[in-house]
Amino acid sequence: MGRRKRNQDLLREQCSRVTALLSLVEKSEAAIGRELGHSNASTLSRVREGKTFLDSETLARFGALDVRGLAVPNLHWVLTGTGAPILGKPGQKPAQVAALCQLASHGVATNKS
């Protein structure tokens, strides 16, 4: 039995959501890449281009990535597009987290254009 062909539309949508969240992280792409366990930023570049998606280990690290000290990425949203783009850390003000969610959602719309 052969490997199933990846849905290219879904790949682009998921990559767009990752890209939107990456734009909220206040670190260089190289620093984010290292935090995700990559020796260089080429994988993130390929994700931004919609050519590849994060493997499960990188995706798990991505889910713990700090978003402005307020939140972490919501992996359910990254994979499905359903729910809030980020999840607030305990004790954070909901209005600040909601503002970041709006920025991420706007980033996805911008990436599709």
Side-chain angles (χ1 to χ4, degrees):
M1 185 170 154
R3 187 173 182 169
R4 208 171 32 156
K5 185 172 168 98
R6 179 137 176 116
N7 180 325
Q8 293 301 306
D9 291 335
L10 179 59
L11 173 65
R12 281 189 295 278
E13 290 170 9
Q14 290 172 332
C15 288
S16 179
R17 291 189 284 269
V18 168
T19 299
L21 291 171
L22 287 172
S23 71
L24 299 178
V25 177
E26 296 176 320
K27 294 180 182 174
S28 70
E29 191 156 309
I32 294 169
R34 282 190 301 275
E35 195 169 328
L36 296 178
H38 297 279
S39 58
N40 58 50
S42 65
T43 299
L44 291 181
S45 294
R46 291 180 51 77
V47 169
R48 287 183 191 277
E49 295 167 1
K51 294 182 178 177
T52 191
F53 192 65
L54 305 175
D55 61 57
S56 60
E57 187 175 326
T58 302
L59 190 60
R61 289 182 180 140
F62 183 75
L65 199 62
D66 181 70
V67 180
R68 300 188 186 189
L70 300 171
V72 295
N74 179 354
L75 296 181
H76 181 72
W77 180 79
V78 169
L79 295 172
T80 67
T82 304
I86 58 171
L87 302 172
K89 291 181 178 180
Q92 295 304 323
K93 296 179 181 174
Q96 290 176 315
V97 174
L100 285 175
C101 282
Q102 285 186 324
L103 284 174
S105 294
H106 176 73
V108 168
T110 303
N111 290 332
K112 286 183 180 179
S113 304

